[in-house]
Amino acid sequence: MSAFFDVAHYDGQKAVKRKVEVQVVGSQFYVLENEQRTGPFAFADVAYVTKQGDADVYGLAGHDGWRLMLSGPVPSELAALLPAPRRYGGWVDRLGLGKAVIAFALTSAAAIAVVLFSPQWLAPLIPDSVDDQLGDALVGDFGGRFCHTPAGDAALQKLVASLDDNPQDLRVEVANIDMLNAVALPGGNVILFDGLLKQARSPDEVAGVLAHEIGHVREKHVMQALLRQMGLAVVLGGVDGNSGAMVNNLLAMSYSRDAEAEADAHSMQMLGNANISPVGTASFFDRLSQLDGSEGAVKYNVEITSYLSSHPLSASRKDAFEKSIVKGKNYKPALTPSEWTELKTMCTQDRKVKSGFGFDFD
C-alpha cells in the first residue's frame, strides 16, 4: 500500500527547486515529478540537515545536494519514517533545551567543585620529583632576573637556614623586579622581589614574609594552588600555551583563607624557633592592612597593592603576629646591619642581572 505526500525537492544536479510528490512504499520511497519516478530511496539513508524558514530540510546519503523540504506540520505517517529534527544537537534535543541547560549547569558546577576541592588531597600524592621538574620547567633562571653577589647570597642563605631545618630542599632567590611581592612556586622555589627588599624597614620584616612563603611550600599549598589554577583553566576555557603568560599567572597564584592562616602559623613558629621577633612582620602587615580596608584606608600605593593582589591581608593577621610576641624574650636581629645592607642592595650591585620591568618572559 502506497501513500503520497507533497514536498519541495532539489535533485542535486540542478539548483532548481521543484514541487514533487513522495510515494512511500514500506521502508522506501520514490520521488514523482511530471509522471516520472526516481528511486527507490531508503528512509534509513535520509538524514536531517537543518531548519530553513518554516521548512525542515533532509538530505540523502551518497547524493550531494539532494534535498527534501517539508513545510509546516509533517504528516504523522511520514514523520514516523523520517529522522527527528535537530535543533541544538543530539543529547540536547533528546532532553529538551530546558533540561539540557540544567544538566549542563549541574555538570559544570560539579566539575568546578572537583577542581576547587580535589587539590587538597591530590597535592600530597604528587611525588617530589614531579614537583621539582615543574619548578625547573616553569621557573628556570627566571629569564636571567635573579640577582647574585657573594655577600648578598651569603646573607640570604643565612636567613633561610635560620628559618628552616632543611634549607637544602628550598631554592630561595631575589628577582630584579621592582614590586613589593614574594611568591612560592613549585619545586620548593621561593622568590623575593627586589621591591620587597627596598620597601622593608628591617631584615625581620623580610624574615616573616619569607617564612610565610616557606610555609606555603611545606604545607603543599603551592601544588594545591597550581592544580586548582590549571584545572580551572581547563574547565573554563583551556590552558594558554605561552610560557610567559604561564609564569605571570603563577605569580598571581592565590591561596585559600585556610592556607593563608596555615602559612601565617608556620611563619610565627619559624620566627620563634629562630629567635627572630615577630614585631617586624606585624609592622609590615600593619602597613598593608591600611590598604585592605581593615584598618581604615589611606593613600593607595601601586607597589603595596601588588602584594595585596596575591596575599589577602587584614588587621587580624597583624594582631596574630603581635600576639605571638613573647614578652621579655631576648630576640636577635635576623641579619647583622652589614648583611642586611648586602641583601637589600644585591640587585643594584649585580651588573649582569636583567631588568624585570614588564615581566617580558621569553
Side-chain angles (χ1 to χ4, degrees), residues 56-107:
D56 289 309
V57 182
Y58 298 85
L60 187 67
H63 294 72
D64 292 339
W66 189 101
R67 295 289 185 266
L68 284 182
M69 304 176 66
L70 284 71
S71 299
V74 179
S76 58
E77 309 95 284
L78 184 57
L81 297 168
L82 291 169
R86 295 193 311 271
R87 297 290 183 259
Y88 310 100
W91 70 274
V92 176
D93 288 327
R94 287 193 297 271
L95 283 178
L97 181 61
K99 291 182 180 179
V101 169
I102 294 173
F104 180 78
L106 292 175
T107 302

Side-chain angles (χ1 to χ4, degrees), residues 137-139 142-143 145 177 185 229 239-252 358-362:
L138 295 174
V139 180
F142 218 59
R145 293 166 178 82
I177 297 175
L185 298 175
Q229 180 164 322
V239 179
D240 188 350
N242 182 276
S243 60
M246 176 61 78
V247 173
N248 284 331
N249 287 337
L250 286 171
L251 297 184
F359 301 98
D360 49 342
F361 294 97
D362 300 326

Side-chain angles (χ1 to χ4, degrees), residues 33-45:
E33 181 184 14
N34 297 329
E35 299 183 353
Q36 292 184 352
R37 186 170 77 162
T38 57
F41 306 106
F43 279 104
D45 294 332

Side-chain angles (χ1 to χ4, degrees), residues 91-279:
W91 70 274
V92 176
D93 288 327
R94 287 193 297 271
L95 283 178
L97 181 61
K99 291 182 180 179
V101 169
I102 294 173
F104 180 78
L106 292 175
T107 302
S108 299
I112 292 175
V114 169
V115 168
L116 290 176
F117 297 109
S118 63
Q120 297 179 13
W121 54 267
L122 278 178
L125 301 178
I126 295 178
D128 291 339
S129 59
V130 174
D131 194 30
D132 293 339
Q133 290 173 6
L134 279 173
D136 292 340
L138 295 174
V139 180
D141 67 350
F142 218 59
R145 293 166 178 82
F146 287 145
C147 306
H148 292 287
T149 64
D153 288 341
L156 183 59
Q157 291 172 8
K158 175 184 175 180
L159 187 60
V160 176
S162 68
L163 293 171
D164 193 87
D165 294 335
N166 297 294
Q168 68 277 3
D169 297 340
L170 301 168
R171 181 191 177 194
V172 181
E173 300 280 2
V174 175
N176 188 30
I177 297 175
D178 192 18
M179 180 183 293
L180 199 160
N181 210 342
V183 293
L185 298 175
N189 287 276
V190 176
I191 302 175
L192 304 175
F193 292 144
D194 185 48
L196 171 69
L197 299 180
K198 289 179 179 177
Q199 292 291 325
R201 296 177 180 175
S202 72
D204 292 0
E205 288 189 8
V206 176
V209 174
L210 175 57
H212 176 92
E213 299 303 332
I214 293 175
H216 282 312
V217 173
R218 296 307 186 195
E219 299 294 337
K220 299 290 186 179
H221 297 156
V222 181
M223 184 56 67
Q224 290 177 25
L226 182 62
L227 290 172
R228 186 177 297 111
Q229 180 164 322
M230 293 181 68
L232 282 175
V234 172
V235 171
L236 300 179
V239 179
D240 188 350
N242 182 276
S243 60
M246 176 61 78
V247 173
N248 284 331
N249 287 337
L250 286 171
L251 297 184
M253 274 199 314
S254 61
Y255 304 100
S256 67
R257 290 182 179 272
D258 289 342
E260 290 294 342
E262 288 180 0
D264 279 349
H266 196 98
S267 177
M268 287 181 274
Q269 181 178 354
M270 294 170 75
L271 291 175
N273 293 341
N275 202 30
I276 298 173
S277 174
V279 171

